[in-house]
Amino acid sequence: MNFELLALNPIALDFGGLQIHWYGIIIAMGALVGVIMAMREAKRRHIDPDNILDLVLYGVPIALVGARLYYVIFELPFYLANPGEIIKIWHGGIAIYGGLIAAFIVLLVLCHKRKISPWLMLDIAAPSVLLGQIVGRWGNFMNQEAFGAKTSLDFLQSLHIPHFIIEQMYINGAYRQPTFLYESVGNLVGLVLILVLRNRKHLLKRGEVFLSYLIWYPAVRFFVEGMRTDSLYILPGVRVSQVLSLILFVVAIAVFIYRRKKQSEPWYNEL
């Protein structure tokens, strides 16, 4: 059977040349659900939900630019030779870490102007960001990107994953490791753990929901990145995302321990 013919169409709608890709729809869905989740948590924490909307209004466009710029920088020779491709994000090529860095800066600026604790806002935003990443990886699935090395049909079937995923993982004449799925599921486990822990009274201090995210996500990304075939490299054999993941993981643990010893922040559940 020719599984290539069974690959899902990455284009959801085509209006006479105006194409709407599943990638964009899925990313938008993830963002929308994340915003709703953050607004509910903000209200519960006595923060005006409009601050979340403002964060999205300014943060999302800047995060998209940051994510694209990050990717372009590490693929600069290609984009210098093909400058017209720089704006074509529907062809793939946005880096989550670039978007997170840009969004983080926007959040700090907004918190400074609104006189809101950055740690509290980060605690509110972190689970929503993780949810967006969980959903967003399925955009990569539709584009048949962010996959791993060649594997066998028997191996994929042994994972007991739905058949439509196996079909979509038949890329360029071979079955591929569904690394998008590994990351999505790994982050889903992390999201459930974080949501459970954040509501345990006197367990987490303010800022530790965010730090928990900053420990979990880089750990998942580090291992999954090592399986991917489309990584960005800072040096031959050295993957950019693995280096950054390791740095964030170590820094987050160090900050977590330091703040616990300093005891400077209130307990997360104290409003």
Side-chain angles (χ1 to χ4, degrees), residues 20-88:
I20 299 177
H21 291 241
W22 280 113
Y23 182 88
I25 293 174
I26 292 172
I27 294 293
M29 288 175 55
L32 177 60
V33 176
V35 168
I36 293 172
M37 181 180 179
M39 291 180 68
R40 293 182 63 182
E41 181 64 11
K43 186 176 181 180
R44 194 168 76 92
R45 296 295 168 188
H46 302 318
I47 298 293
D48 187 347
D50 284 348
N51 288 305
I52 302 299
L53 292 178
D54 289 340
L55 179 60
V56 172
L57 178 64
Y58 295 109
V60 169
I62 294 175
L64 285 174
V65 172
R68 185 59 170 175
L69 182 61
Y70 184 102
Y71 186 88
V72 169
I73 287 173
F74 288 102
E75 292 287 348
L76 197 55
F78 171 80
Y79 287 105
L80 286 177
N82 303 275
E85 288 291 320
I86 292 177
I87 64 171
K88 297 179 180 179

Side-chain angles (χ1 to χ4, degrees), residues 41 44-45 119-120 122-125 127 197-200 202-210 265-271:
E41 181 64 11
R44 194 168 76 92
R45 296 295 168 188
W119 288 115
L120 179 56
L122 287 168
D123 277 342
I124 293 170
L197 294 177
R198 81 174 182 181
N199 292 319
R200 295 289 298 274
H202 296 315
L203 178 64
L204 296 178
K205 293 171 68 66
R206 181 178 292 176
E208 290 181 352
V209 168
F210 168 68
E265 291 287 342
W267 293 102
Y268 183 70
N269 286 290
E270 290 183 358
L271 303 179

Side-chain angles (χ1 to χ4, degrees), residues 163-222:
H163 190 64
F164 76 93
I165 295 179
I166 295 177
E167 292 179 351
Q168 190 74 348
M169 286 297 99
Y170 190 80
I171 303 169
N172 297 330
Y175 291 102
R176 302 283 182 165
Q177 288 278 2
T179 47
F180 87 93
L181 180 64
Y182 301 155
E183 185 172 330
S184 184
V185 172
N187 286 334
L188 178 60
V189 173
L191 177 63
V192 172
L193 288 174
I194 289 173
L195 292 179
V196 170
L197 294 177
R198 81 174 182 181
N199 292 319
R200 295 289 298 274
K201 188 174 179 61
H202 296 315
L203 178 64
L204 296 178
K205 293 171 68 66
R206 181 178 292 176
E208 290 181 352
V209 168
F210 168 68
L211 290 173
S212 297
Y213 161 78
L214 214 57
I215 292 169
W216 185 274
Y217 174 68
V220 171
R221 182 61 185 270
F222 181 89

Side-chain angles (χ1 to χ4, degrees), residues 2-10 141-144 164-172:
N2 187 348
F3 283 89
E4 287 184 295
L5 296 178
L6 298 175
L8 299 173
N9 189 346
F141 166 75
M142 292 300 301
N143 276 0
Q144 291 188 308
F164 76 93
I165 295 179
I166 295 177
E167 292 179 351
Q168 190 74 348
M169 286 297 99
Y170 190 80
I171 303 169
N172 297 330

